[in-house]
Amino acid sequence: MSMPLMTGRCRPWVMTLSLCGLVLLGACKRDAIDPDKPAAEPVAALQQIARHVAENDLVGYARASVPPAQYTRLQAAWADGHSRWPLTDLPLDGQLLPMLAALSAPEAPQRLQRSFDTQIAGQATGVRQAAHSMGLFGVQYLRNQTDYSDTERAHYSQVVDVLSRWAAAAPLTDKQRAKTTITLLTATARTAGLSTDAQLQAAGMEDSLRRLGPFAKAFKTALASYGLSLDAALTGVQGELVSQQGDSAVVRIQYPLAGEQIEAQVRMARRDGHWYLARTLEETDALLAAADEAAAADAAKAEHDARQAAEAEAAAQVKDGASAPAKP
């Protein structure tokens, strides 16, 4: 797809800002929610998840997203190197560590500012065209994705379309605003100290999420400076229960995003007496099944290697005994 006046270096800037709204799965306003008690109703469960994201409490978000037993297994899978959930829930999750590495590198503020000045500053027309093209591409991509249900495609297509219009009108080429954003993000990325998978592994799931909380806050603050408030979307959602059959339910949600209203339906599932996003449960179930298979393969390999080592040691001892001189 042609993007006049836009080089490959500046497209990720626009794409990251444009697609960040996919983190919004919606929630519902409701007063007096106990922050430490799992939500018992579908609408309240959505509100609880959204509240944690709005408060940059990523550990709370993870705990509210899956049943306690599954959460414990996900922690173990992270420790074993078989999972990076819930980071894999993020849009463009494969770019998270490269982004953190670039932001926390030595002289990152100066280098990124120079890159912005040469690649983006003064190219308002190109940025608008790129935002429009990204919106068209994103909607087309979602239409062709068989992993999403019809309602999910309709939801995400609305989000991408709205964010494309926001990005086209936002002051993304403003030099002073970019300098403030770069200063904020590079400082918080360095503080997090998480730019490699080895560092995520060493920190563990909960500590990694705690250290990424301030970066999530800084990222949302930066977006708000460009006129996109994710927190306003998270706290401004209205919702109602559409249907419930046994342990399955559908919730209709509506929330404001970039001055427009998004409407969608979200599937919920009850497990162990509490409600969770059905898609999250399906994805984490599959992730844990794969983690169990990987753990079993690791154990089998370790056993095989130990057996080979023992056989090699035994053979060496036999050889040494055969070559030893006979006693007179």
Side-chain angles (χ1 to χ4, degrees):
M1 182 176 294
S2 175
M3 296 183 187
L5 303 180
M6 289 294 290
T7 67
R9 291 183 183 179
C10 55
R11 290 175 200 166
W13 175 277
V14 176
M15 176 179 280
T16 299
L17 293 175
S18 300
L19 299 186
C20 63
L22 291 179
V23 300
L24 299 169
L25 289 178
C28 184
K29 278 188 173 180
R30 185 168 175 172
D31 295 331
I33 296 293
D34 185 344
D36 298 319
K37 181 179 180 181
E41 302 299 329
V43 170
L46 281 172
Q47 194 280 336
Q48 188 178 54
I49 291 171
R51 178 180 54 77
H52 286 304
V53 178
E55 295 175 354
N56 311 303
D57 180 6
L58 302 186
V59 174
Y61 163 79
R63 286 186 174 276
S65 296
V66 294
Q70 194 173 41
Y71 182 84
T72 299
R73 292 178 63 199
L74 287 163
Q75 282 186 290
W78 181 301
D80 292 337
H82 300 314
S83 168
R84 290 295 176 258
W85 183 90
L87 300 183
T88 46
D89 276 354
L90 295 171
L92 305 176
D93 62 283
Q95 299 303 312
L96 176 63
L97 287 179
M99 177 178 67
L100 290 171
L103 289 170
S104 58
E107 299 185 357
Q110 297 85 351
R111 187 176 66 256
L112 292 172
Q113 188 66 51
R114 287 195 300 268
S115 178
F116 176 90
D117 292 345
T118 57
Q119 300 293 329
I120 300 178
Q123 296 198 41
T125 300
V127 168
R128 285 195 297 269
Q129 291 174 343
H132 178 69
S133 297
M134 284 295 180
L136 294 176
F137 172 80
V139 171
Q140 186 62 39
Y141 171 82
L142 289 167
R143 287 174 180 168
N144 294 328
Q145 280 297 301
T146 57
D147 291 342
Y148 296 132
S149 67
D150 290 342
T151 56
E152 288 170 334
R153 274 194 294 272
H155 181 191
Y156 298 149
S157 294
Q158 288 181 75
V159 171
V160 170
D161 197 33
V162 168
L163 290 177
S164 174
R165 288 194 289 274
W166 160 76
L172 300 181
T173 61
D174 184 277
K175 186 173 181 178
Q176 184 56 48
R177 210 177 306 248
K179 182 178 181 179
T180 301
T181 297
I182 289 170
T183 300
L184 174 64
L185 294 181
T186 52
T188 51
R190 284 195 299 268
T191 300
L194 298 171
S195 58
T196 67
D197 191 70
Q199 289 172 329
L200 292 176
Q201 180 86 6
M205 188 172 89
E206 286 200 345
D207 192 39
S208 293
L209 295 179
R210 289 190 188 97
R211 289 160 64 177
L212 287 171
F215 183 78
K217 180 180 179 179
F219 189 70
K220 290 190 295 178
T221 298
L223 289 174
S225 75
Y226 288 95
L228 179 63
S229 175
L230 299 188
D231 288 341
L234 288 163
T235 59
V237 180
Q238 302 296 322
E240 64 176 343
L241 184 65
V242 175
S243 64
Q244 180 178 339
Q245 293 183 343
D247 292 333
S248 298
V250 175
V251 172
R252 180 183 294 112
I253 61 172
Q254 184 182 69
Y255 59 91
L257 184 63
E260 302 187 41
Q261 286 292 322
I262 302 293
E263 295 184 1
Q265 290 191 354
V266 179
R267 294 183 300 116
M268 304 293 292
R270 181 164 53 192
R271 188 174 294 184
D272 301 331
H274 300 289
W275 290 93
Y276 306 92
L277 285 162
R279 186 171 183 84
T280 298
L281 293 183
E282 292 163 1
E283 291 176 346
T284 50
D285 284 344
L287 186 156
L288 287 172
D292 288 344
E293 290 181 4
D298 288 347
K301 183 178 184 305
E303 182 180 355
H304 177 265
D305 292 347
R307 185 168 58 250
Q308 281 194 324
E311 290 172 354
E313 183 179 358
Q317 291 176 347
V318 170
K319 183 178 179 180
D320 291 343
S323 61
K327 292 183 180 181

